[in-house]
Amino acid sequence: MKYVLAFFVGAWVLVTSAQAAGYRVETVASGLEHPWSLAFLPGGRLLVTERPGRLRLIEPGPDGRPQLRPEPVAGVPAVLARGQAGLFDVVVDPAFVVNGRVLLSFAHGQTEANHLRVVRARFDGRQLLDVQPIFTSQPAKTETQHFGGRMAWLADGSLLLGMGDGNLDRTDAQRLHTHLGKLLRIQPDGSVPGDNPFLQRPNARPEIYSIGHRNPQGVVVADGVPYAHEHGARGGDELNRIEPGANYGWPLTTGGIDYTYARITPYRSLPGIQPALLEWTPSIAPAGLAWYDGPLFPAWRGSLFVAALKERSVRRIPLPGGVPGPQEILFQELGERIRDVRAGPDGAIYLLTDSVNGRVLRVVPTTP
């Protein structure tokens, strides 16, 4: 192991870099155009989104090995694919075995008037049927940046959805009349849970669950607790434990500065602002987020895994008692931008590489 010190949230933190790790990386599928998200289906099948607007199926072939079906899944709604806009997350309904439903998030509309949209649909193995929009962000925005788009199921069966600030008026993240810069909570049919924290606030969007987010790029539920991370600007990437009604500070507090090197705010903390669990400065550009508690890697159990685009790595963060431990930098030997990381039902770790010829990778132990 290689040990380095890194500066996080006002303190030096030990970070280890894996050198002779006991794992090997297998290619499950290749030839994917900027794959963005991965979901697991029964029978060893996988669904993968491609940012230009395609949903792809990987399934066991005649020899039992996974194969990428050459034709995309039919029935995907029209997607605005420009800049950072495109097809984002795919999640499987917890009752998929009964209802066959999946949910997709994507950029919707026109460049000059676009939204984050979530649809649910029934997947019959080859196409999406009964496609129904269940959420469309409001109001429309005019730039194709900072959509968020990650989704995760909460323990009560409701859906948590990240929405970026749009990179227009960043103070919208503090305003309740807009979905921009928020984490949102809806029911699987798009209705609003009766205990959402801003439901009774005048002129507030009822779906809002927490505020003060810049661009959430990972959402996961670990032992019933939701966590999310988000891109800062030049530094100030954050990992947060999400609490209903909490304010996570953007742009009132941040550890980053603007891309122009201008100061965004003089404050790193303020009363009433929820402090980050971790902050990465300089930025690692966090992307997907996973919780690992599987059997194949006992030493990794109870850890969050953070895909890092800029660092071309995955950060493993042990979380004993909900407190982040020393971070481990994994998979840098691949030399690729990692867009998503997932814990598979087989106990393996799955990665998506972000390129025009992206791959789905599977990480397994080197020894049985």
Side-chain angles (χ1 to χ4, degrees):
M1 286 291 181
K2 177 183 177 182
Y3 295 87
V4 296
L5 285 173
F7 193 71
F8 297 111
V9 198
W12 289 95
V13 177
L14 188 67
V15 178
T16 65
S17 181
Q19 296 294 317
Y23 60 76
R24 70 176 187 273
V25 180
E26 306 170 342
T27 298
V28 175
S30 59
L32 294 154
E33 186 175 0
H34 291 289
W36 210 90
S37 178
L38 174 69
F40 302 95
L41 297 174
R45 299 174 297 162
L46 300 89
L47 286 173
V48 182
T49 59
E50 292 177 293
R51 197 174 65 203
R54 294 179 293 272
L55 180 64
R56 308 296 298 274
L57 177 66
I58 299 171
E59 59 187 348
D63 60 357
R65 299 172 60 85
Q67 293 184 356
L68 176 68
R69 285 192 62 85
E71 68 277 7
V73 173
V76 174
V79 169
L80 172 63
R82 181 173 179 175
Q84 295 177 5
L87 180 58
F88 303 130
D89 214 352
V90 53
V91 296
V92 176
D93 191 296
F96 178 85
V97 174
V98 176
N99 60 34
R101 285 179 180 153
V102 299
L103 280 71
L104 299 173
S105 65
F106 56 93
H108 165 76
Q110 306 300 319
T111 301
E112 63 276 9
N114 61 78
H115 311 259
L116 177 66
R117 171 166 281 188
V118 177
V119 299
R120 70 174 182 177
R122 183 166 53 86
F123 179 56
D124 71 353
R126 292 295 178 265
Q127 61 183 329
L128 298 183
L129 303 169
D130 306 323
V131 179
Q132 175 188 4
I134 61 170
F135 173 80
T136 303
S137 65
Q138 299 296 334
K141 59 188 185 66
T142 58
E143 296 292 336
T144 56
Q145 294 177 307
H146 294 198
F147 283 89
R150 293 287 183 187
M151 301 181 286
W153 296 105
L154 293 171
D156 65 357
S158 61
L159 184 74
L160 197 61
L161 167 67
M163 176 76 210
D165 69 354
N167 203 27
L168 292 168
D169 185 347
R170 56 180 56 140
T171 57
D172 277 344
Q174 293 290 325
R175 296 174 176 144
L176 296 178
H177 75 279
T178 171
H179 290 126
L180 293 173
K182 313 297 191 302
L183 285 178
L184 311 165
R185 177 176 172 242
I186 59 176
Q187 300 288 16
D189 62 358
S191 61
V192 176
D195 58 348
N196 267 6
F198 298 98
L199 194 60
Q200 305 303 321
R201 190 77 63 91
N203 302 316
R205 297 285 176 181
E207 298 88 357
I208 296 174
Y209 194 69
S210 62
I211 72 172
H213 301 281
R214 184 175 182 270
N215 191 16
Q217 290 290 293
V219 182
V220 74
V221 177
D223 288 339
V225 178
Y227 295 86
H229 63 53
E230 59 190 79
H231 280 279
R234 191 179 292 275
D237 300 343
E238 293 182 1
L239 172 70
N240 290 296
R241 182 186 294 111
I242 303 303
E243 299 179 7
N247 186 343
Y248 291 87
W250 177 258
L252 303 178
T253 62
T254 180
I257 59 175
D258 214 337
Y259 292 116
T260 63
Y261 293 93
R263 177 181 285 188
I264 296 166
T265 172
Y267 301 109
R268 298 288 296 268
S269 63
L270 283 171
I273 301 298
Q274 191 77 9
L277 283 181
L278 284 175
E279 179 192 293
W280 293 283
T281 298
S283 174
I284 65 170
L289 179 63
W291 171 249
Y292 186 79
D293 205 28
L296 293 188
F297 295 98
W300 290 355
R301 296 189 69 183
S303 298
L304 291 172
F305 283 71
V306 177
L309 293 164
K310 184 176 181 181
E311 192 175 65
R312 296 175 181 259
S313 74
V314 172
R315 291 281 182 121
R316 183 179 73 86
I317 306 169
L319 210 64
V323 178
Q327 299 173 52
E328 183 180 12
I329 300 174
L330 298 166
F331 314 131
Q332 271 191 317
E333 70 275 12
L334 298 173
E336 298 196 59
R337 286 163 51 91
I338 308 297
R339 171 61 68 181
D340 200 9
V341 55
R342 300 280 169 156
D346 57 357
I349 297 287
Y350 288 76
L351 310 174
L352 295 184
T353 67
D354 180 47
S355 74
V356 294
N357 186 21
R359 297 186 291 162
V360 178
L361 305 176
R362 179 174 179 259
V363 183
V364 295
T366 54
T367 56

